[in-house]
Amino acid sequence: MASSNFKDHLGRPIVAVTGMGIITSLGQGLSDNWAALTSGKSGIHKITRFPTDNLSTKICGTVDFIDIPAPNSVERSFAFARDTTIEALSQAGLSGDFNGPLFLAAPPIEPEWSARFELADRSPPAAKPGDAYDRFMAALRQRPDPAFQEAALFGAISERLSDQFGTRGLPVTLSTACASGATAIQLGVEAIRQGRTDRALTVATDGSVSAEALIRFSLLSALSTQNDPPEKASKPFSKDRDGFVIAEGAATLVLESLEAAVARGAKVLGIIKGAGEKADSFHRTRSSPDGGPAIATIRAALADAGFSESDIGYVNAHGTSTPENDKMEYSSMLAVFGEGLKAIPVSSNKSMIGHTLTAAGAVEAVFSLQTMLTGTLPPTINYTNPDPTIALDVVPNVKRDAEVSAVLSNSFGFGGQNASLVMTREPA
């Protein structure tokens, strides 16, 4: 029977993080990313992947330094996930088959328009109205296109990761918008708490920046149009913020029961102490302005962790740099923490890496754990024009040394999909 030292306040196995891997527009690997992030460096740049003529947004945080066999979003997303998983497993000291479940957050992407047009061009002429599907299938039978097939299958990335790393059971692919990365971690935590496994591989990846994605977000008035200079565009909690900067990235966390990690002599990087999630039915893309679901999400995460508001020493904010979402997040935190919020540092990684969409929750979980490991709070850059209606200590522009033992990380996604994580240092 497990020692009480390995159980939480509800008698569940404590879940430890033993490996982390990360890729963002700042670079590849945890060391390079953390050095750039804490120095206040921005990874936002002009778009070179596709023409931006006549587009209002011409900047992004794409990852363009990874070689891929085909220039599409699925191959990019897979490559990011593969490389971050290799890094995380190496740090965890694990080799061979992983032998635990895989939970993957992946973008709900489809084949690029260029690939669709190419398929249409080599399809037989139409014989009758509505026979496009039959024509496309005939073209693919005549000349199979593995890259197109991979791009058309939502579960293709997780299947390939499972094959490469030897995970156990059917891999789970999920998409809960900007909360996806945190949701993947939550699923891994629950699998360990329920005794279904001693370890879980949680991965979140997004390589979906394309002309179509940019245009779709632009039509929602969600993107910043402050193109020059690119590195100044993302300015969470500032008065002159005008939208988020679309970006790419990935993060992998190796989760284990604390008991199993200690038994094999693994280095424990941190603890996933609590997780909360709530749905918001207010609007297809907008969050409820009163912040009700976000408030409930934060409180659920604290309750799951067995924490009070005063136990949190730092908040890694969702902090998108959109006018409405930043205001909603502030009001939600104020409702939870009250006057105590003034004493809690709150910063947004998105000021430097942009919004990595599906990957954001996991990317920011890695940075949250690294904050506790190093005693360094990353800054919120571009904070030169504070919003007087948002009274936060955003760690403005320059990193800060501070010992933190518990972090709250928020992920509030489109469609009202909200998730918050509470992470702590290794227990004594």
Side-chain angles (χ1 to χ4, degrees), residues 364-408:
E364 290 156 17
V366 168
F367 287 147
S368 296
L369 290 162
Q370 194 70 357
T371 293
M372 291 185 286
L373 286 168
T374 64
T376 303
L377 307 182
T380 302
I381 68 168
N382 303 324
Y383 193 73
T384 58
N385 187 14
D387 185 336
T389 68
I390 298 179
L392 287 175
D393 171 9
V394 301
V395 192
N397 304 313
V398 179
K399 68 181 180 182
R400 182 185 305 163
D401 294 334
E403 289 297 317
V404 175
S405 60
V407 173
L408 171 73

Side-chain angles (χ1 to χ4, degrees), residues 299-315:
R299 286 179 173 159
L302 292 172
D304 192 52
F307 275 14
S308 66
E309 295 79 6
S310 61
D311 291 318
I312 299 298
Y314 168 73
V315 176

Side-chain angles (χ1 to χ4, degrees), residues 272-296:
I272 308 295
K273 188 71 172 173
E277 49 82 25
K278 298 292 179 181
D280 179 350
S281 60
F282 175 75
H283 189 266
R284 288 182 62 189
T285 58
R286 294 174 58 206
S287 297
S288 180
D290 66 8
I295 294 167

